[in-house]
């Protein structure tokens, strides 16, 4: 950059001088407004001419504002050139115009670029990020680059006299090109309420309605305050969050905290008329940069009636702290060279200050908070609380907070009630350290309340009786009532407890020993409560009785609980006795119908063996049953079944089904038909009984067996050293449906073949699936044994079932 370049011929706009006539902003130019008489419309009436005049004056005012904003930007760039080139203002203006001409940009664009290179602030970062992400300095429809728009808005904000003018400048120069149509700047009060400090794009009526938002009202701006971060919604109407202009501007919304030096001064809220998709990060950075402008404005120009910016209030805060009876600190923000909050300095310590570590006040006064209390920096600790109160203005109160000091690497803790509040730019921190005696007394009060205990002491010399507040409440008396002496207790107790109270007093007064008694107190409110008194005599050095002290405890709830438990135990014992008798009867029926070692079945060419193992517990008597019967047709009926449930009901149901199947088998029908009839019996002639069963008919002459199943496990067929399960034929369990059909299958057995019918008690395990248990059964049945009886005994011995259920196995072998 040289200061000897020849000054080009430039227009007043290019060299930064103000235009001579009225101008309006069009794109990137400041265009002149036509003279008053040339383009003014002709109106027939005076009202029309007046309206045209008002409109023209409005354009002139807008043009003047735009010209002033652009002028401030150019003048700032000229000042930078004067400082860098050590030249005169005239030479700086010529250099600015010459450089703009050589670069092919406007003077205003060059001025914005000079500021970006010199300032290196958030506005610069936002503009540079936009250029980096788009790979080109794209110019929006208004003809201005992002840098020009942001710097023009900054100039307008700096020249504004109040936040209202700042809002208008932000909307006109920076936000309108982004499609936004309204902007609101909210100031935060000490009570966390929001005040509309400035707005643009809203009607006067709407701005008046939203002038003040009380604390606790969940608006869109307050959401950004609560999160202390950028907040965005693509469609305000769908989010349902109330906010200014929610009836007219229901499109996209953005809100960003406006803060400097770690303190949040307000919220910048921007409105779009239509819904928008999620915006790129560069828009967020631009809006956050504009929010920082608002923060400086809110700090410089207070909202009328807002005490947050009355900086002399720190002096008043010191006087308030000195008037408090509790230890108090006045903290002020401590920022670094970049005006970033790094700590809080102890500005003042009142006379009643009490350090948790016992250090004198002069060691705390003037120190940084984290230097005096470094452990306050723990997440969620005291420093985080102070920082949030300073940022949001919301007061904080809490009981039993742990204050920790570190002295010579020794951690010292104290329990205190803490209160913080923000006044202007300072924080008032008040704590009340709890003494050990007071803390123990409060714990004792809570223990007495929870245990419904009240203490007393009775001076026998003076007759004075002292009760604590809990004992008045237990007696149903106000604290102003006269306490009841121990000698008068019989007059307030149930007549049946008079003798017990007399023995209690005799033990205390005459035998001078510890005593306890339970009695029923008839209170004055008509309620009878059961109390227990524990008392002891107080003796002097000469063993003379001075007083009696002790405690009452309301044990009404415990008493009635014990009564209810005793009644429940009686009913339970009676029920257990009935259940035991029913189980013994069921076991007797089971043994009578199905003995564990049934009589052998004498059939030529066929050996039948049965093993029945009842459950070990009488409470688990089940409904397992089996049958092996020679029919009049010389065929053999073989069946195994299991009735759902346990106890006498299962045992009697088992007997009904076993006998019914025996009677139906005399008809000569096949297994499928027999199960169809047995299902009808189960569904209609029993009381909600369900059961599973395998039914088979063996013909000794042809060595064939026809079988069917009703929800039961299929039989196992053993030939030589191979085992297999028979087909899983269709057939629902008995009693589930009024009408059911069952499939039937016929197999041909050879000499030496063995067939096993069994109940689930043989294989069922809680920790294994059914398929795994069946595979284990096939492996165990494959073992070679000398006789059929040995095979069945081996199956029962090696059974891995763990359900403690009845087990039944029927085996047939062709001999």
């Amino acid at each position: 950059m040289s200061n000897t370049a020849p000054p080009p011929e430039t227009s007043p706009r290019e060299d930064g001088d103000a235009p001579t006539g009225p101008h309006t902003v069009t794109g990137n130019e400041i265009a002149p407004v036509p003279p008053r008489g040339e383009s003014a419309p002709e109106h027939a009436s005076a009202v029309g001419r007046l309206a045209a005049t008002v409109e023209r004056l409005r354009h002139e005012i807008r043009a003047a504002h735009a010209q002033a904003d652009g002028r401030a930007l150019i003048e700032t760039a000229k000042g930078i050139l004067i400082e860098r080139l050590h030249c005169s203002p005239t030479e700086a203006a010529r250099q600015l115009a010459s450089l703009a001409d050589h670069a092919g940009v406007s003077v205003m664009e060059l001025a914005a670029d000079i500021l970006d290179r010199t300032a290196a602030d958030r506005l610069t970062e936002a503009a540079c990020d936009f250029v980096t992400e788009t790979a080109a300095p794209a110019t929006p429809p208004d003809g201005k680059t992002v840098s020009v728009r942001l710097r023009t808005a900054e100039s307008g904000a700096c020249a504004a006299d109040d936040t209202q003018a700042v809002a208008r400048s932000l909307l006109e120069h920076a936000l309108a090109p982004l499609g936004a149509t309204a902007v609101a700047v909210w100031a935060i009060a000490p009570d966390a309420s929001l005040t509309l400090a400035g707005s643009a794009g809203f009607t006067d009526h709407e701005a008046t309605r939203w002038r003040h938002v009380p604390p606790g009202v969940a608006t869109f701006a307050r959401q950004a305050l609560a999160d202390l971060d950028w907040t965005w919604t693509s469609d305000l109407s769908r989010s349902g969050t109330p906010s200014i202009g929610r009836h007219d501007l229901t499109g996209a919304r953005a809100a960003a905290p406006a803060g400097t030096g770690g303190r949040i001064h307000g919220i910048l809220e921007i409105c779009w008329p239509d819904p928008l998709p999620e915006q790129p990060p560069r828009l967020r950075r631009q809006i956050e940069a504009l929010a920082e402008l608002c923060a400086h404005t809110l700090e410089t120009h207070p909202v009328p009636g807002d005490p947050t910016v009355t900086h002399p209030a720190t002096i008043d805060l010191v006087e308030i702290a000195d008037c408090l009876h509790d230890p108090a600190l006045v903290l002020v923000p401590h920022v670094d060279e970049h005006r970033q909050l790094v700590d809080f300095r102890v500005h003042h310590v009142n006379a009643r200050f009490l350090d948790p570590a016992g250090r004198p006040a002069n060691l705390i006064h003037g120190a940084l908070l984290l230097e005096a209390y470094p452990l306050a920096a723990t997440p969620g600790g005291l420093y985080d609380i102070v920082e949030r109160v300073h940022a949001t203005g919301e007061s904080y109160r809490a009981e039993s907070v742990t204050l920790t000091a570190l002295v010579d690497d020794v951690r010292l803790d104290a329990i205190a009630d803490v209160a913080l509040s923000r006044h202007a730019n300072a924080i008032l921190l008040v704590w009340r350290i709890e003494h050990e005696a007071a803390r123990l007394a409060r714990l004792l009060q809570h223990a007495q309340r929870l245990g419904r205990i009240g203490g007393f002491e009775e001076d026998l010399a003076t007759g004075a009786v002292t009760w604590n507040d809990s004992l008045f409440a237990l007696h149903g008396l106000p604290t102003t009532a006269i306490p009841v002496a121990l000698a008068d207790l019989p007059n307030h107790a149930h007549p049946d407890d008079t003798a017990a109270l007399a023995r209690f007093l005799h033990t205390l007064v005459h035998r001078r020993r510890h005593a306890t008694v339970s009695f029923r107190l008839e209170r004055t409110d008509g309620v009878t409560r059961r109390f227990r008194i524990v008392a002891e005599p107080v003796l002097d050095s000469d063993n003379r009785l001075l007083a009696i002290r002790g405690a009452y405890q309301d044990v009404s709830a415990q008493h009635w609980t014990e009564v209810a438990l005793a009644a429940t135990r009686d009913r339970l014992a009676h029920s257990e006795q009935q259940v035991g008798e029913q189980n013994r009867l069921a076991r007797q029926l089971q043994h009578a119908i199905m003995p564990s070692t049934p009589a052998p079945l004498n059939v030529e060419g066929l050996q039948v063996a049965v093993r029945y193992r009842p459950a070990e517990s009488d409470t688990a008597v089940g409904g397992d049953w089996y049958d092996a019967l020679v029919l009049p047709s010389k065929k053999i009926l073989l069946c195994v079944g299991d009735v759902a449930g346990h106890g006498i009901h299962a045992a009697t149901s088992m007997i009904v089904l076993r006998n019914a199947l025996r009677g139906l088998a005399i008809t000569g029908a096949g297994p499928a038909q027999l199960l169809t009839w047995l299902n009808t019996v189960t569904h209609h002639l029993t009381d909600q009984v369900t059961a599973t069963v395998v039914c088979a008919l063996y013909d000794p002459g042809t060595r064939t067996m026809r079988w069917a199943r009703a929800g039961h496990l299929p039989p196992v067929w053993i030939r030589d050293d191979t085992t297999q399960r028979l087909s899983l034929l269709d057939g629902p369990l008995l009693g589930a449906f009024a009408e059911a059909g069952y499939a039937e299958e016929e197999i041909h057995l050879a000499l030496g073949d063995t067939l096993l019918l069994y109940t689930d008690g043989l294989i069922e395990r809680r920790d294994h699936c059914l398929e795994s248990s069946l595979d284990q059964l096939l492996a165990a049945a494959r073992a070679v044994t000398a006789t059929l009886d040995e095979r069945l005994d081996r199956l029962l011995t090696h059974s891995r079932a763990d359900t403690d259920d009845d087990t039944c196995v029927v085996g047939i072998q062709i001999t």
Side-chain angles (χ1 to χ4, degrees), residues 329 331 369-370 373 375-388 396 401-404 418 420 429 431:
L329 302 174
L331 307 176
L369 181 63
L370 292 181
Y373 304 99
L375 295 182
T378 56
L382 180 62
Y383 183 82
D384 285 351
I385 298 172
V386 174
E387 189 176 38
R388 184 169 186 86
Y396 175 86
V401 175
T402 302
L403 299 178
T404 304
V418 176
L420 295 96
L429 170 59
W431 61 46

Side-chain angles (χ1 to χ4, degrees), residues 423-436:
H423 302 266
N425 203 35
I427 300 293
L428 177 63
L429 170 59
V430 181
W431 61 46
R432 178 179 298 172
I433 297 180
E434 195 171 21
H435 296 286
E436 186 66 15

Side-chain angles (χ1 to χ4, degrees), residues 281-621:
R282 62 175 179 267
L283 176 66
R284 171 178 177 176
R285 289 189 286 271
Q286 292 181 44
I287 292 178
E288 288 177 344
L290 296 176
E292 186 172 338
L293 287 179
C294 295
H296 288 292
T297 302
L298 291 171
E299 189 176 22
T300 306
H301 302 293
V303 180
D306 183 6
T308 60
V309 294
T310 309
H311 292 86
T314 305
I315 301 175
D316 298 335
L317 190 61
V318 170
E319 296 179 359
I320 293 174
D322 288 334
C323 295
L324 296 176
H325 291 281
D326 294 317
L329 302 174
V330 177
L331 307 176
V332 294
H334 178 71
V335 297
D336 58 12
E337 63 275 10
H338 302 295
R339 294 194 57 80
Q340 296 297 318
L341 178 68
V342 294
D343 204 341
F344 292 88
R345 187 171 298 280
V346 180
H347 178 72
H348 180 72
V349 178
N350 71 350
R352 296 181 180 271
F353 174 75
L354 182 62
D355 181 63
R359 294 172 294 185
N362 60 342
L363 294 181
I364 306 299
H365 186 275
L368 295 177
L369 181 63
L370 292 181
E371 290 179 356
Y373 304 99
L375 295 182
T378 56
L382 180 62
Y383 183 82
D384 285 351
I385 298 172
V386 174
E387 189 176 38
R388 184 169 186 86
V389 171
H390 175 260
T392 64
E394 297 182 8
S395 300
Y396 175 86
R397 293 180 181 274
E399 296 181 355
S400 302
V401 175
T402 302
L403 299 178
T404 304
L406 198 64
V407 179
D408 296 333
D409 295 331
V410 177
R411 178 186 176 119
L412 300 176
D413 294 334
I415 306 299
D417 298 338
V418 176
L420 295 96
S421 59
R422 189 183 80 184
H423 302 266
N425 203 35
I427 300 293
L428 177 63
L429 170 59
V430 181
W431 61 46
R432 178 179 298 172
I433 297 180
E434 195 171 21
H435 296 286
E436 186 66 15
R439 187 174 68 88
L440 294 177
R442 192 179 77 253
L443 291 177
L444 179 60
Q445 290 177 353
H446 290 308
Q448 290 179 341
R449 176 181 56 83
L450 295 173
R452 299 188 63 79
I453 298 174
F456 72 92
E457 183 172 286
E458 187 170 335
D459 190 332
L460 298 182
T462 62
V465 180
T466 304
W467 282 4
N468 63 3
D469 293 343
S470 300
L471 192 51
F472 283 100
L474 293 177
H475 277 256
L477 298 173
T479 55
T480 57
I482 299 176
V484 179
L486 293 178
D488 296 333
L489 271 182
N491 299 328
H492 300 272
H494 192 278
D496 294 345
D497 298 329
T498 303
L501 288 171
R503 290 192 297 271
F504 167 74
L505 290 174
H506 180 77
T507 302
L508 285 171
V509 177
H510 298 286
R511 301 180 64 183
R512 300 181 181 180
R513 294 176 55 186
H514 171 277
T516 180
V517 66
S518 296
F519 71 101
R520 287 161 290 180
L521 177 69
E522 296 181 345
R523 303 194 323 186
T524 56
D525 56 5
V527 177
T528 300
R529 307 290 295 178
R530 183 171 290 272
F531 281 87
R532 177 187 292 118
I533 301 181
V534 179
E536 64 177 2
V538 179
L539 307 176
D540 62 6
S541 58
D542 296 329
N543 204 31
R544 290 177 296 186
L545 183 63
L546 298 179
I548 296 176
R549 62 189 174 199
Y552 287 72
Q553 183 179 16
D554 188 343
V555 295
S556 303
Q558 178 183 350
H559 169 73
W560 290 116
T561 300
E562 292 175 353
V563 171
L565 287 176
T568 302
R569 284 194 295 268
D570 292 342
R571 290 194 298 268
L572 181 60
H574 180 67
S575 300
E576 290 177 349
Q577 182 180 3
Q578 287 182 326
V579 171
E581 292 176 356
Q582 291 178 357
N583 289 335
R584 284 191 293 273
L585 176 59
R587 181 67 71 197
Q588 292 173 1
L589 287 173
Q590 199 176 56
H591 283 291
I593 301 301
M594 290 179 300
S596 300
T597 55
L601 190 67
N602 296 321
V603 178
E604 185 178 355
L606 182 69
Q607 182 183 357
V608 180
V610 176
R611 292 294 183 270
Y612 183 79
R613 183 177 64 188
E616 296 181 2
S617 173
D618 285 340
T619 61
V621 177

Side-chain angles (χ1 to χ4, degrees), residues 179-181 232-237 248-253 271-277 279:
T181 55
W232 168 270
T233 179
S234 297
D235 191 345
L236 183 67
S237 60
D248 302 324
L249 298 172
T250 59
R253 286 283 173 111
C271 312
W272 282 264
D274 302 313
L276 296 176
Q279 295 298 300

Side-chain angles (χ1 to χ4, degrees), residues 16-25 30 60-74 108 152 172-173:
D17 295 331
T20 56
H23 286 68
T24 58
V25 177
I30 303 179
E60 291 180 357
I61 293 173
R62 291 177 181 174
H65 287 164
Q67 177 184 354
D69 295 340
R71 183 73 177 179
L73 180 60
I74 295 173
M108 189 177 297
T152 305
E172 179 179 356
H173 297 301

Side-chain angles (χ1 to χ4, degrees), residues 655-679:
I655 296 172
V656 170
L657 296 184
R658 183 173 184 268
N659 292 337
L661 185 57
R662 278 193 166 195
L664 294 172
I666 302 298
T667 62
Q673 184 62 54
L674 291 177
L675 292 184
T676 301
W677 289 336
L678 190 61
N679 177 71

